Amino acid sequence: MKIKTKLNAGVGLLFLMIIVLSVLSGWYINQLKKDTNNILVANYNTLQYSRNMLLALEEISSDSAAFGVFERHLEKQKKNVTEPGEKEATENIATHFLLLKQKSDNPKLLSSIRRDIAELMQLNMVAIEHKSSVADATAKSAIAIISAAGMLCFIIAFIMMVNLPSNIANPIQVLTGSIKQIANQNYKERVHFESKSEFGDLAMSFNIMAEKLQEYSESKLDKIIRGKRRIETLIDNMHDPVIGIDEGKKVLFVNDEALKIAGLRKENFVGKLIQDVAVTNDLVRTIIKDIIQENGYNKSETMKIYADGKESYFEKEIIDINVVPTGEKESQFIGQVIMLRNITPFKELDLAKTNFLGTVSHEFKTPISSIQMGLQLLENKQIGIMNDEQKTLVNGIKEDANRLLKITGELLNITQIESGAIQLNIQASDIRMIIEDAINANKSAAEQKHIIFKINIENGLKEVLADAEKTSWVLNNLLSNAVRYSHDNSEIELNVIKVEGRIQFAVIDKGQGIPSQYLSKVFDRYFKIPGTKKEGTGLGLSISKQFIEAQGGKILVDSELGNGSKFYFNLKSI
């Protein structure tokens, strides 16, 4: 707790205790006043009226004016009925008094009135005694409660008087001793106070100062130089080019590999602003373009550089260097390190893999074509009629051959994409022809599951700027997937509309849908959704994405598990 908060709490508590005592005292005094007023106002007045009536009653036989006096005090008593039974006694007095008026010399009536007045006086005497005991109890309660409250206030005030000064004085005493230790060059001295008070902040600042003083006192120039040379040697012996710059873009260090590929000397590089070096060096300019434009930080980027007498591939990575100064919590940006990892061997392996896939896929096409030709001959009735079992075997071979041919085609497409040899014939293409080619390719599979294709083309849309063959292949792949994952007797929509000046093709099915966690991966190469059918290679959607993006379009997917999927792509409008 803050010292200011403690002081405010202490003074506020004392102020609150004074208010509580004042309120309690005032309340009990008011209660005593009410009790005494009840006795004086109600019972005492009744006794006074009764006494006056008795005196008047004694003079009635000799003075007729005494009737008026008696009646006047009787009327006052009727307005002052406050106790149980007092009303009946007053009414009896009034009844007997009326009779006395008629027979003033009747001694029995005088005796009855005296008896009634005596009863009235007795009732009020008892009430006075009861109210007196209530007032006495109230006084005793007031004394007890006010005494308890006063004692509690005294205890609290005593505790505050003992603790509050020590809470302020003790830390000051400890801090004074620690400052003397620092003055005597004992920089290992630390103070530890409650972290939430002002003394906690003071202790933190003191400890940071002591830590920095200790760090400074223990530092040696030769240690610093030895550490610097160790780091420089480590960087120079790295096989990948490395360049280090500070927060002002000044070059701090550069290793031999970086100098070799840049064709520069160290004295013309280190200590210079890197943008000044980039003015006369194309490679450095390419390397730092992301830093100058302030984009692409911490993202890998592949670069092709002519090094070691051949084209080499490097993966560029820019790493921000942030350090936390001694005794502080917030990190500070102090520079960047540019690393170029040589990935030429991996690129060569990747190229070899691509060439191998292309060669193998191409070589597979000849035997697959021979198998298909043999199947056609077997199905020719002129060769001979097959029995049912033979037909089943031939159909199985035919399906496997078609599947193998499809896989081979997808592998060839992948090799074209990876090698950059993909050729596009982008021109005005008939939308309906593209759709018909894709529909015809999937009609047989759809009929087997009793699936209906519903085609919706926006009015006025006839042509699209695209490679008809590649676009039809993509649409064919999307329809094939929709048929495969749709339920029997369902419907697949193929919509073509114009959206923001582009032509959008959308394939919508009512199938099982795709779980949300896999939506971002469906276009990845070789990816298959766990738990689905194991057909295909997982390349179809990846190739589709490459074909559409090569035409300047974009392919997307919307899906919800259990509610089907929507795959759609857009291409340029004419």
Side-chain angles (χ1 to χ4, degrees):
M1 185 184 292
K2 301 289 186 182
I3 298 299
K4 182 179 179 181
T5 306
K6 287 182 178 180
L7 290 172
N8 288 336
V11 174
L13 188 58
L14 289 173
F15 182 70
L16 180 63
M17 288 189 296
I18 292 171
I19 293 175
V20 169
L21 283 173
S22 300
V23 170
L24 281 174
S25 301
W27 189 80
Y28 276 109
I29 290 171
N30 187 54
Q31 287 298 110
L32 289 171
K33 179 182 177 183
K34 285 182 179 179
D35 292 341
T36 54
N37 281 343
N38 285 338
I39 296 172
L40 293 173
V41 173
N43 305 110
Y44 179 77
N45 287 343
T46 296
L47 291 174
Q48 190 68 28
Y49 300 151
S50 298
R51 176 179 172 275
N52 291 333
M53 284 189 290
L54 284 174
L55 292 175
L57 192 64
E58 293 298 328
E59 296 176 0
I60 282 176
S61 59
S62 60
D63 187 1
S64 59
F67 281 100
V69 175
F70 187 96
E71 190 172 5
R72 187 170 61 254
H73 288 291
L74 179 60
E75 290 299 323
K76 290 181 180 180
Q77 171 56 29
K78 286 181 180 180
K79 297 177 182 179
N80 193 44
V81 175
T82 57
E83 302 299 330
E86 189 174 349
K87 181 178 181 182
E88 291 78 0
T90 303
E91 289 176 352
N92 289 335
I93 294 171
T95 302
H96 292 149
F97 180 69
L98 288 175
L99 295 173
L100 183 64
K101 275 186 174 183
Q102 297 171 4
K103 297 179 181 182
S104 59
D105 56 347
N106 191 335
K108 289 184 178 181
L109 289 175
L110 290 172
S111 178
S112 296
I113 292 172
R114 288 189 184 96
R115 208 167 35 247
D116 292 336
I117 293 173
E119 183 182 354
L120 181 63
M121 294 177 72
Q122 179 64 28
L123 286 172
N124 280 274
M125 289 297 291
V126 171
I128 288 173
E129 184 179 354
H130 173 69
K131 290 180 180 179
S132 178
S133 63
V134 170
D136 186 54
T138 302
K140 290 179 179 178
S141 298
I143 292 171
I145 292 175
I146 292 174
S147 298
M151 181 60 67
L152 180 63
C153 293
F154 173 77
I155 293 171
I156 294 173
F158 181 77
I159 293 171
M160 291 175 58
M161 183 182 70
V162 172
N163 291 331
L164 193 58
S166 61
N167 284 338
I168 298 174
N170 290 346
I172 294 175
Q173 185 178 0
V174 173
L175 185 63
T176 302
S178 299
I179 291 173
K180 290 180 180 179
Q181 292 291 329
I182 294 293
N184 293 328
Q185 298 185 355
N186 180 16
Y187 300 123
K188 294 182 179 181
E189 178 70 17
R190 300 290 185 271
V191 292
H192 304 283
F193 297 143
E194 184 184 356
S195 59
K196 295 182 180 179
S197 68
E198 288 88 347
F199 286 116
D201 296 337
L202 183 60
M204 186 182 298
S205 301
F206 178 88
N207 292 338
I208 291 172
M209 177 195 71
E211 190 174 352
K212 289 189 175 183
L213 287 172
Q214 182 181 0
E215 182 182 295
Y216 177 77
S217 66
E218 292 178 354
S219 64
K220 303 292 182 182
L221 186 59
D222 58 340
K223 288 183 180 180
I224 296 173
I225 294 174
R226 192 181 301 116
K228 182 174 180 291
R229 286 177 179 173
R230 187 182 297 116
I231 294 172
E232 288 177 347
T233 303
L234 178 64
I235 293 172
D236 285 337
N237 287 321
M238 291 179 67
H239 296 295
D240 295 324
V242 179
I243 302 171
I245 59 176
D246 63 12
E247 64 275 17
K249 304 293 187 296
K250 182 184 290 186
V251 180
L252 299 175
F253 57 83
V254 57
N255 67 353
D256 294 338
E257 289 294 327
L259 292 172
K260 186 190 298 183
I261 65 170
L264 294 171
R265 298 172 63 87
K266 181 172 279 191
E267 56 268 23
N268 297 330
F269 208 162
V270 177
K272 308 286 185 181
L273 290 174
I274 197 165
Q275 54 264 43
D276 293 341
V277 178
V279 173
T280 57
N281 191 287
D282 293 337
L283 177 60
V284 176
R285 184 162 57 251
T286 303
I287 291 173
I288 69 166
K289 65 179 181 180
D290 293 332
I291 299 176
I292 302 302
Q293 297 172 1
E294 295 187 355
N295 61 24
Y297 284 3
N298 302 319
K299 294 182 180 179
S300 298
E301 179 182 336
T302 302
M303 301 176 60
K304 184 165 67 173
I305 301 173
Y306 189 81
D308 296 330
K310 64 175 183 179
E311 285 187 346
S312 300
Y313 293 88
F314 292 86
E315 189 178 76
K316 181 179 72 173
E317 185 176 3
I318 301 172
I319 304 171
D320 289 343
I321 306 300
N322 297 284
V323 299
V324 179
T326 302
E328 298 184 15
K329 294 182 179 179
E330 298 294 330
S331 62
Q332 294 182 6
F333 173 74
I334 62 168
Q336 293 168 309
V337 174
I338 306 169
M339 298 184 66
L340 300 177
R341 295 190 182 92
N342 192 341
I343 59 171
T344 304
F346 302 103
K347 276 288 184 180
E348 292 173 347
L349 288 173
D350 188 57
L351 181 60
K353 180 264 296 180
T354 301
N355 292 335
F356 174 76
L357 285 176
T359 303
V360 169
S361 301
H362 188 270
E363 292 298 327
F364 274 178
K365 278 199 167 185
T366 300
I368 292 172
S369 299
S370 299
I371 292 171
Q372 289 182 321
M373 185 178 295
L375 289 171
Q376 289 178 357
L377 291 174
L378 287 174
E379 290 175 338
N380 192 338
K381 293 182 180 180
Q382 295 179 357
I383 301 296
I385 299 175
M386 296 182 292
N387 57 34
D388 292 339
E389 191 172 329
Q390 290 171 334
K391 287 180 179 179
T392 302
L393 290 172
V394 168
N395 287 334
I397 296 171
K398 187 175 182 181
E399 289 178 0
D400 289 340
N402 289 334
R403 184 168 174 269
L404 188 59
L405 184 62
K406 182 181 178 183
I407 293 172
T408 304
E410 288 180 348
L411 290 175
L412 279 173
N413 287 329
I414 282 292
T415 56
Q416 288 181 358
I417 292 169
E418 288 183 345
S419 62
I422 183 172
Q423 295 180 353
L424 297 175
N425 182 22
I426 298 177
Q427 58 183 0
S429 303
D430 190 292
I431 293 175
R432 291 190 178 274
M433 290 295 295
I434 293 173
I435 293 174
E436 286 178 6
D437 289 344
I439 292 290
N440 292 334
N442 292 278
K443 185 179 293 184
S444 176
E447 289 175 351
Q448 291 179 8
K449 299 180 71 174
H450 305 287
I451 293 174
I452 300 174
F453 290 118
K454 184 178 179 181
I455 302 171
N456 301 307
I457 302 177
E458 186 178 313
N459 292 334
L461 295 183
K462 295 182 178 179
E463 292 183 327
V464 62
L465 194 63
D467 185 313
E469 181 183 354
K470 298 292 188 296
T471 305
S472 179
W473 190 97
V474 173
L475 205 56
N476 175 23
N477 184 71
L478 297 181
L479 287 172
S480 175
N481 289 340
V483 171
R484 183 183 307 159
Y485 295 110
S486 290
H487 306 297
D488 292 353
N489 302 307
S490 61
E491 186 180 86
I492 296 175
E493 292 185 29
L494 201 165
N495 300 328
V496 183
I497 58 175
K498 194 167 187 178
V499 180
E500 296 179 356
R502 299 175 73 85
I503 307 298
Q504 183 187 95
F505 293 77
V507 176
I508 306 170
D509 65 67
K510 302 295 188 298
Q512 63 192 42
I514 302 171
S516 58
Q517 64 267 32
Y518 301 126
L519 286 176
S520 60
K521 301 179 181 179
V522 294
F523 294 107
D524 292 349
R525 196 175 298 176
Y526 305 114
F527 176 76
K528 295 181 183 179
I529 298 173
T532 57
K533 301 175 182 178
K534 299 298 182 182
E535 301 177 12
T537 59
L539 292 172
L541 290 176
S542 175
I543 295 171
S544 299
K545 183 174 183 288
Q546 296 289 340
F547 280 170
I548 294 301
E549 289 181 351
Q551 298 179 70
K554 191 174 184 180
I555 186 168
L556 301 164
V557 59
D558 293 332
S559 183
E560 185 178 347
L561 190 62
N563 292 325
S565 303
K566 175 185 177 182
F567 284 86
Y568 56 101
F569 60 88
N570 58 66
L571 295 170
K572 295 178 182 178
S573 175
I574 295 179

